């Protein structure tokens, strides 16, 4: 039996549920709740689109631990400076 799109979408964890996980609380404490929530909404939105496109094949990608891992990596990428110190030796 094939799951309907609505049944698949119901398997996505709630944003608040993810933020109440120990990893979610830690990320909120270090990056701020509003910023973390916004980034998590983007990640869950992308997971929702993938779930609708790929169907049940995408179910392993919507696990709460997988989404929180993506959140942590995304927050790190957004908050890490890309500037590197250089020496101006042009004289």
């Amino acid at each position: 039996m094939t799951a309907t799109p609505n049944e698949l979408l119901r398997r996505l964890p709630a944003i608040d549920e993810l933020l109440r996980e120990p990893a979610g609380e830690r990320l909120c404490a270090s990056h701020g709740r509003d910023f973390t929530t916004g980034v998590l909404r983007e990640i869950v939105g992308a997971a929702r689109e993938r779930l609708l496109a790929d169907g049940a094949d995408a179910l392993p990608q919507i696990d709460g631990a997988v989404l929180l891992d993506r959140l942590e990596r995304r927050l790190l990428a957004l908050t890490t400076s890309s500037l590197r110190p250089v020496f101006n030796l042009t004289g």
Side-chain angles (χ1 to χ4, degrees), residues 10-42:
R10 280 190 212 111
R11 295 185 185 185
L12 275 170
I15 301 283
D16 188 55
E17 179 183 312
L18 291 170
L19 292 175
R20 282 184 279 149
E21 293 282 331
E25 289 179 349
R26 179 178 47 78
L27 292 170
C28 284
S30 61
H31 297 286
R33 186 169 183 86
D34 291 339
F35 182 60
T36 303
T37 302
V39 174
L40 183 56
R41 283 188 180 129
E42 292 174 9

Side-chain angles (χ1 to χ4, degrees), residues 2-74:
T2 304
T4 66
N6 283 338
E7 291 170 339
L8 291 173
L9 290 174
R10 280 190 212 111
R11 295 185 185 185
L12 275 170
I15 301 283
D16 188 55
E17 179 183 312
L18 291 170
L19 292 175
R20 282 184 279 149
E21 293 282 331
E25 289 179 349
R26 179 178 47 78
L27 292 170
C28 284
S30 61
H31 297 286
R33 186 169 183 86
D34 291 339
F35 182 60
T36 303
T37 302
V39 174
L40 183 56
R41 283 188 180 129
E42 292 174 9
I43 291 169
V44 170
R48 182 180 298 115
E49 289 175 13
R50 184 170 185 173
L51 191 58
L52 290 173
D54 297 344
D57 293 337
L59 284 176
Q61 300 299 316
I62 64 161
D63 178 64
V66 172
L67 295 174
L68 285 171
D69 182 58
R70 284 187 190 150
L71 174 62
E72 185 169 17
R73 286 186 281 128
R74 182 72 176 134

